[in-house]
Amino acid sequence: MSSMKPREQPKVPCQMEAEVDRISNLPGHIIDKILSLLTLRDAVRTSILSSKWRYKWVNLTSLVFDNQSVLVSSQDPTIIKNKMVKIVDHVLLLHNGLIHKFKLSHRDLQGVCDIDRWILFLSRGSVKEFILEIWKGQRYKLPSSLYLCDKLSHLELFNCLLKPPLGFNGFKILTSLDLQHITMDQDVFEDLIHWCPLLERLTLMNFEGFANLKIHAPKLTFFDIGGVFEDVVFENTFHLSTVSIGLYVNIGNDHELTLGTTSKLTKFFASLPSIQRLEVQSFFLKFLAVDMVPRRLPTPCMELNYLSLRINFNDMDECLAALCILRSSPNLLELEMLARPDEQAAPRAVAKNLVEEDFQNCFFSQLRFVKIAGILGVARELNFINFLLANTPVLERMTVKPASQECGWDLLKELLRFRRSSVHAEIIYLDP
């Protein structure tokens, strides 16, 4: 018998080369999807995968220059600026095709003149989303070329100065506008909102240069605002369904009541027939309570199902305003009341009697969830809780969170004592 081992079949030459290069031969739409999920820095680094991937990233339609995409270890502002400018210039130089989204948001970047060049470059294309966040330094004055970007659907600006050129007629297809820490004149603000006829979402935070908020936006559905202002007026906003509004300044207790025929509450809700979610933050409830507060709104908020109120229970005007809104919201499902106990208002005896009478004549047939936080356990707060428990027959859960541990035990004893109109109501006490 031969002791020789059977001869093995020879391997195919260059077997590794014969194998299918799965990475290089992925379908184009799969490659695009992979690149879209990467940071810009990682997308550029895919060039080393293979020769076929070398310039795949240059067709990206979304360019995001942020702290994840641009890593700068130095704290020297000049070095940071030079590296940022070099990277952005390099990407834009090699980029091929359309740019639909451009975002520049680096924590260490200040406003530089090079941004003007980049915006001019983008204005010659079809950019749809433009996000610019200048985190340091003075307000960056936007160049006139930004207002030539007529394909914008989303515009987001942080720490910028807006001064459109004469003849600017708005962004005709803009649907989303987010402005934070910005400066512009009163007429510029009004014209900007008015000349964006398709605007659906508007966010305004910490603004300067204008104080009267006249919102004329027939397509608007979402409005989020926080800042210092004198008045807010909605015009032709009948589709507006979500509103969060906060006044960041205390109007004081020495205001003169305007006993007119139309209260601020009535005017505020007049153009909000479709309101579904409302958050009244900071001192805005106090603002609404300045004028004569009606017992009910002329037109009830039939679609309002979520209401959040920042309230000072020691201010009877605010309590009256809160009761007016509650009384005018027959289909309310969820209520959140966040106490603002830092103020002390002098109680008014007449107002107190009116509130006690109102407590006996309110009924919330749909209210299921209530959250009350930041309270001190004083009489007016407890009366409000007792009132809610007694007039919510389908209540499922009430969550109560005091402002401090000091009042916790006494508050808990009072909560257990209150009667509930709902047999299924659960009261949850949360430690502060």
Side-chain angles (χ1 to χ4, degrees):
M1 246 181 112
S2 174
S3 61
M4 296 180 61
K5 295 182 179 179
R7 181 179 297 180
E8 297 180 358
Q9 293 291 331
K11 294 183 178 180
V12 178
C14 302
Q15 185 174 358
M16 293 298 296
E17 295 180 4
E19 292 181 356
V20 177
D21 186 348
R22 296 182 180 181
I23 295 179
S24 297
N25 291 283
L26 285 173
H29 68 281
I30 299 296
I31 295 177
D32 293 339
K33 181 64 176 178
I34 293 173
L35 291 173
S36 69
L37 297 175
L38 301 175
T39 65
L40 182 58
R41 180 172 181 267
D42 289 336
V44 173
R45 294 171 71 186
T46 60
S47 298
I48 66 173
L49 292 177
S50 71
S51 59
K52 291 186 178 181
W53 276 76
R54 185 171 178 79
Y55 293 111
K56 289 291 185 181
W57 69 269
V58 301
N59 296 314
L60 283 171
T61 59
S62 176
L63 300 180
V64 177
F65 301 92
D66 57 12
N67 285 69
Q68 291 183 323
S69 298
V70 182
L71 302 180
V72 184
S73 57
S74 175
Q75 299 297 320
D76 188 325
T78 302
I79 295 177
I80 294 172
K81 174 208 166 187
N82 291 339
K83 184 169 184 179
M84 281 289 301
V85 171
K86 181 179 179 181
I87 291 174
V88 177
D89 281 344
H90 180 74
V91 170
L92 293 181
L93 178 64
L94 294 180
H95 190 272
N96 180 37
L98 299 176
I99 299 175
H100 291 158
K101 177 181 179 180
F102 184 91
K103 179 178 180 179
L104 180 60
S105 175
H106 197 282
R107 291 284 179 178
D108 296 313
L109 178 66
Q110 301 186 31
V112 293
C113 60
D114 299 274
I115 299 177
D116 291 7
R117 293 191 293 105
W118 302 332
I119 294 178
L120 177 61
F121 174 82
L122 294 170
S123 68
R124 295 168 177 167
S126 301
V127 62
K128 298 178 180 179
E129 296 183 45
F130 181 77
I131 302 170
L132 177 61
E133 296 176 332
I134 307 296
W135 294 99
K136 290 185 177 181
Q138 299 178 344
R139 296 276 200 266
Y140 166 70
K141 183 180 178 181
L142 294 164
S144 59
S145 55
L146 175 70
Y147 305 98
L148 299 176
C149 299
D150 55 359
K151 299 295 191 299
L152 282 178
S153 61
H154 176 78
L155 177 60
E156 192 171 332
L157 302 172
F158 187 96
N159 194 25
C160 293
L161 169 64
L162 287 80
K163 197 169 183 179
L166 294 176
F168 173 63
N169 292 320
F171 299 107
K172 298 304 182 183
I173 62 174
L174 191 73
T175 59
S176 178
L177 179 62
D178 189 325
L179 304 175
Q180 301 190 39
H181 294 270
I182 56 95
T183 299
M184 67 175 119
D185 293 337
Q186 180 70 48
D187 57 339
V188 172
F189 169 73
E190 292 184 8
D191 289 344
L192 177 62
I193 303 303
H194 183 78
W195 292 110
C196 295
L198 301 184
L199 191 63
E200 298 176 0
R201 298 178 64 89
L202 175 59
T203 298
L204 288 171
M205 293 290 169
N206 299 301
F207 43 87
E208 296 176 350
F210 59 98
N212 294 300
L213 306 178
K214 185 178 179 181
I215 310 299
H216 179 92
K219 298 288 186 180
L220 197 65
T221 61
F222 175 91
F223 181 50
D224 185 9
I225 177 175
V228 178
F229 52 89
E230 295 178 3
D231 199 7
V232 56
V233 178
F234 295 106
E235 291 184 356
N236 195 17
T237 53
F238 300 111
H239 297 287
L240 190 52
S241 60
T242 301
V243 174
S244 178
I245 182 165
L247 178 61
Y248 292 169
V249 61
N250 189 345
I251 62 175
N253 295 312
D254 56 350
H255 56 263
E256 295 181 2
L257 294 180
T258 304
L259 301 178
T261 56
T262 305
S263 71
K264 289 188 181 295
L265 267 173
T266 301
K267 289 188 289 186
F268 178 75
F269 284 96
S271 294
L272 301 176
S274 302
I275 188 70
Q276 297 177 15
R277 292 181 61 90
L278 174 62
E279 296 180 8
V280 177
Q281 305 292 342
S282 301
F283 296 98
F284 190 65
L285 185 61
K286 190 168 188 176
F287 169 84
L288 292 175
V290 167
D291 291 339
M292 181 178 61
V293 177
R295 179 179 175 82
R296 295 178 185 270
L297 295 173
T299 303
C301 304
M302 299 302 296
E303 297 187 34
L304 186 63
N305 57 66
Y306 175 85
L307 175 64
S308 176
L309 297 174
R310 175 72 70 170
I311 182 173
N312 176 14
F313 286 100
N314 290 327
D315 189 323
M316 295 311 301
D317 291 327
E318 290 191 41
C319 291
L320 286 171
L323 285 170
C324 175
I325 300 174
L326 288 171
R327 226 179 278 119
S328 305
S329 308
N331 296 314
L332 193 65
L333 299 176
E334 188 173 353
L335 171 65
E336 180 182 56
M337 303 190 78
L338 308 174
R340 200 178 65 245
D342 51 313
E343 303 171 88
Q344 296 297 326
R348 291 166 32 210
V350 175
K352 183 181 179 185
N353 291 334
L354 288 173
V355 172
E356 289 177 352
E357 293 177 3
D358 291 335
F359 278 169
Q360 300 173 2
N361 298 303
C362 290
F363 195 71
F364 308 104
S365 60
Q366 304 296 324
L367 191 58
R368 284 171 167 76
F369 304 99
V370 175
K371 178 182 178 181
I372 300 178
I375 60 175
L376 298 174
V378 298
R380 286 174 180 167
E381 297 168 343
L382 295 175
N383 288 341
F384 223 107
I385 294 175
N386 190 21
F387 153 69
L388 290 173
L389 288 173
N391 293 277
T392 49
V394 296
L395 184 68
E396 297 179 16
R397 183 174 67 249
M398 174 182 283
T399 303
V400 180
K401 184 178 181 179
S404 66
Q405 292 280 6
E406 297 177 1
C407 60
W409 178 244
D410 292 335
L411 175 59
L412 184 58
K413 288 191 295 184
E414 291 292 337
L415 292 176
L416 295 175
R417 185 176 61 85
F418 292 150
R419 293 185 178 181
R420 315 169 197 178
S421 60
S422 171
V423 295
H424 302 291
E426 177 185 14
I427 297 181
I428 300 175
Y429 174 88
L430 298 178
D431 290 328

